[in-house]
């Protein structure tokens, strides 16, 4: 009886391969897209993180069943992906970290932390004559209510702003929140204090 064929998975970095527990029936090969593919057929191709779409163009050099991106986006991929190849993005991987970063930026801007940091470097202390608003009772608009937008809202809610959510179409989200359309956003924009 012939031996079972291995599933071939290409990984963009040796560190990633070294971090994985070997699985029976899975063969890992290195391919960072800077050179031709190591095999004519690779079952699962893992793209480098935060790469441009350029590596996807190299897929024409191999046959494959699945391309796994470690990023959330997929804009423009269907024009580049060979026919019959499935594409999977990194949904569930980056939403919380991206939301944390977005909230950090909002708080930094709202509380003028950049100004305070520059003052600190100069050894200048603002004696309290400068008021900076928080998020409580502010009108905050979130544009997009997918995984990242949902996580941003969850992190902003404890600060007490009035949150309005906008997406491609008007709907009631799975969590019961009313989502307004982008057309509604244009009309509501003058009310926004944070977007």
């Amino acid at each position: 009886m012939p031996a079972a064929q291995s599933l071939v998975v290409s990984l963009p970095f040796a560190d990633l391969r070294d971090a994985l527990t070997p699985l029976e029936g899975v063969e890992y090969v290195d391919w960072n897209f800077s050179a031709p593919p190591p095999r004519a057929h690779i079952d699962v191709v893992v793209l480098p993180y935060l790469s441009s779409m350029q590596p996807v163009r190299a897929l024409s050099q191999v046959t494959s069943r699945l391309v796994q991106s470690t990023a959330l986006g997929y804009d423009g991929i269907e024009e580049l992906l060979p026919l019959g190849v499935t594409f999977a993005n990194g949904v569930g991987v980056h939403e919380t970290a991206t939301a944390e970063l977005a909230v950090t930026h909002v708080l930094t801007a709202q509380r003028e932390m950049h100004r305070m940091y520059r003052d600190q470097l100069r050894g200048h202390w603002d004696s309290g004559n400068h008021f900076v608003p928080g998020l409580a009772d502010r009108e905050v608009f979130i544009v997009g209510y997918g995984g990242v937008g949902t996580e941003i809202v969850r992190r902003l809610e404890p600060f007490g702003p009035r949150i309005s959510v906008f997406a491609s179409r008007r709907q009631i989200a799975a969590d019961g929140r009313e989502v307004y359309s982008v057309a509604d956003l244009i009309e509501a924009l003058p009310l926004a204090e944070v977007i």
Side-chain angles (χ1 to χ4, degrees):
M1 185 172 198
Q5 193 173 2
S6 292
L7 179 75
V8 179
V9 178
S10 74
L11 300 170
F13 307 108
D15 292 352
L16 181 57
R17 184 195 63 236
D18 295 343
L20 295 173
T21 303
L23 296 172
E24 188 175 329
V26 177
E27 179 186 355
Y28 298 109
V29 295
D30 296 333
W31 187 30
N32 66 9
F33 297 84
S34 65
R39 301 282 175 84
H41 177 78
I42 300 173
D43 295 293
V44 179
V45 176
V46 179
L47 296 176
Y49 181 61
L50 291 180
S51 64
S52 67
M53 288 296 186
Q54 192 61 34
V56 177
R57 296 182 201 289
L59 293 173
S60 64
Q61 301 172 40
V62 298
T63 59
S64 184
R65 298 188 321 196
L66 171 68
V67 173
Q68 175 65 60
S69 172
T70 53
L72 283 172
Y74 57 87
D75 293 341
I77 191 71
E78 57 196 299
E79 293 87 28
L80 300 172
L81 206 59
L83 191 63
V85 176
T86 301
F87 179 82
N89 61 6
V91 170
V93 177
H94 304 288
E95 288 85 348
T96 56
T98 303
E100 287 175 4
L101 188 57
V103 171
T104 298
H105 286 302
V106 166
L107 288 170
T108 297
Q110 196 68 14
R111 290 296 190 165
E112 296 184 18
M113 298 304 289
H114 58 286
R115 181 186 56 80
M116 292 181 198
Y117 177 70
R118 282 194 309 267
D119 286 351
Q120 180 185 23
L121 290 176
R122 291 190 344 246
H124 172 76
W125 178 252
D126 187 339
S127 61
N129 296 329
H130 191 82
F131 173 77
V132 291
L135 284 174
D137 300 320
R138 298 280 174 232
E139 289 291 336
V140 176
F141 288 5
I142 305 296
V143 181
Y145 202 55
V148 173
T150 302
E151 292 300 322
I152 291 172
V153 167
R154 285 187 53 225
R155 282 158 179 74
L156 284 176
E157 285 177 329
F159 292 99
R162 292 182 299 278
I163 299 173
S164 298
V165 177
F166 299 84
S168 56
R169 61 183 162 70
R170 185 179 267 264
Q171 62 186 311
I172 301 298
D175 63 4
R177 180 177 293 277
E178 184 172 7
V179 179
Y180 302 98
S181 73
V182 173
D184 298 325
L185 172 64
I186 293 166
E187 186 178 322
L189 218 44
L191 303 174
E193 295 173 278
V194 176
I195 301 175

